[in-house]
Amino acid sequence: MRNRLVVLLMVLGVFTAPATASAAAGSLPLPYTGDANQVITVVAANPTATTATLIAWKRTATGWVAQLGPLKAYVGSGGIGQASEGSTKTPAGVWALTEAFGHHPAAGRLPYRQVDTSDWWVSDVNSAHYNTPYRCAPGACPFNEAAGENLGKVGRAYDRAVVMNYNRSPVVKGAGSAFFLHVSTNQPTAGCVSLGRPQMDAVLNWLDPAARPVINIGLG
């Protein structure tokens, strides 16, 4: 069964030999000292790069082993660094991956919401709901709808998405909101990380909440 899975992932372009070879030393390409057993690394060449290399790693008794990748990912049009509301930088650092959403029915093992036009991500810095999901009918929401994302109205990018827990506990108003790992539109993002649809599906199916997965974003 495992051999058939590897063959399928190779066909989809989400598993390649170089990633396994790079994992021989059992270490990650970015510093990490947490207790997650699944880590997705996103490494850009420099602070202004708008593409990065994404690899999904599993902790084993002998070190870290690459399981998906290396994959081409898009990051923010402002590169990688300190994010803030209104910037287009992807936030550098380590962020938990605890939930997912999308236009399509549930997939994978993370808690998942199938969204429609009553689902929002609040980016109104004056709202008590800043940087949280909220459900309300358009025109009847208790926040500035223009300063938020109607998740159901976003195109294919949100066919599948995983929430990055950046600025969520505690929430700092103005530090930035709505950062996701989502389907690529083949261009830099507004601060999220994106992958091609087959690769995104593979990552979503790989993520296991019991492994306390995180995404680790930085420069290499």
Side-chain angles (χ1 to χ4, degrees):
M1 176 60 120
R2 183 181 184 281
N3 289 338
R4 283 188 301 206
L5 177 60
V6 169
V7 170
L8 174 61
L9 293 176
M10 291 180 70
V11 169
L12 292 174
V14 297
F15 182 98
T16 57
T20 303
S22 70
S27 60
L28 298 174
L30 294 172
Y32 178 70
T33 58
D35 64 354
N37 291 319
Q38 287 184 330
V39 173
I40 293 174
T41 56
V42 179
V43 182
N46 58 69
T48 60
T50 57
T51 61
T53 299
L54 184 151
I55 302 177
W57 306 81
K58 177 182 178 180
R59 191 196 298 267
T60 71
T62 56
W64 293 95
V65 174
Q67 297 205 305
L68 300 175
L71 309 174
K72 177 184 176 180
Y74 284 96
V75 295
S77 60
I80 289 176
Q82 179 61 56
S84 62
E85 196 63 46
S87 80
T88 58
K89 286 185 180 291
T90 298
V94 179
W95 319 111
L97 301 172
T98 56
E99 61 185 289
F101 67 88
H103 301 144
H104 296 292
R109 290 170 285 181
L110 293 178
Y112 185 99
R113 291 180 299 124
Q114 186 172 0
V115 297
D116 59 31
T117 55
S118 289
D119 287 291
W120 301 77
W121 201 275
V122 182
S123 295
D124 177 0
V125 296
N126 296 312
S127 171
H129 306 292
Y130 178 66
N131 200 25
T132 66
Y134 199 93
R135 187 166 173 82
C136 53
C141 297
F143 51 83
N144 180 2
E145 294 177 13
E149 282 195 294
N150 186 313
L151 303 181
K153 289 185 177 180
V154 176
R156 67 179 185 183
Y158 291 173
D159 282 354
R160 302 281 192 209
V162 177
V163 178
M164 297 192 296
N165 281 358
Y166 167 80
N167 192 30
R168 296 194 72 193
S169 180
V171 175
V172 177
K173 292 186 176 182
S177 61
F179 291 96
F180 312 126
L181 172 62
H182 64 66
V183 175
S184 173
T185 58
N186 299 314
Q187 60 187 351
T189 71
C192 295
V193 178
S194 69
L195 290 171
R197 173 61 189 273
Q199 292 82 5
M200 184 64 208
D201 283 347
V203 169
L204 182 57
N205 287 322
W206 174 78
L207 289 168
D208 179 1
R212 302 178 297 281
V214 300
I215 189 167
N216 188 356
I217 303 170
L219 307 177

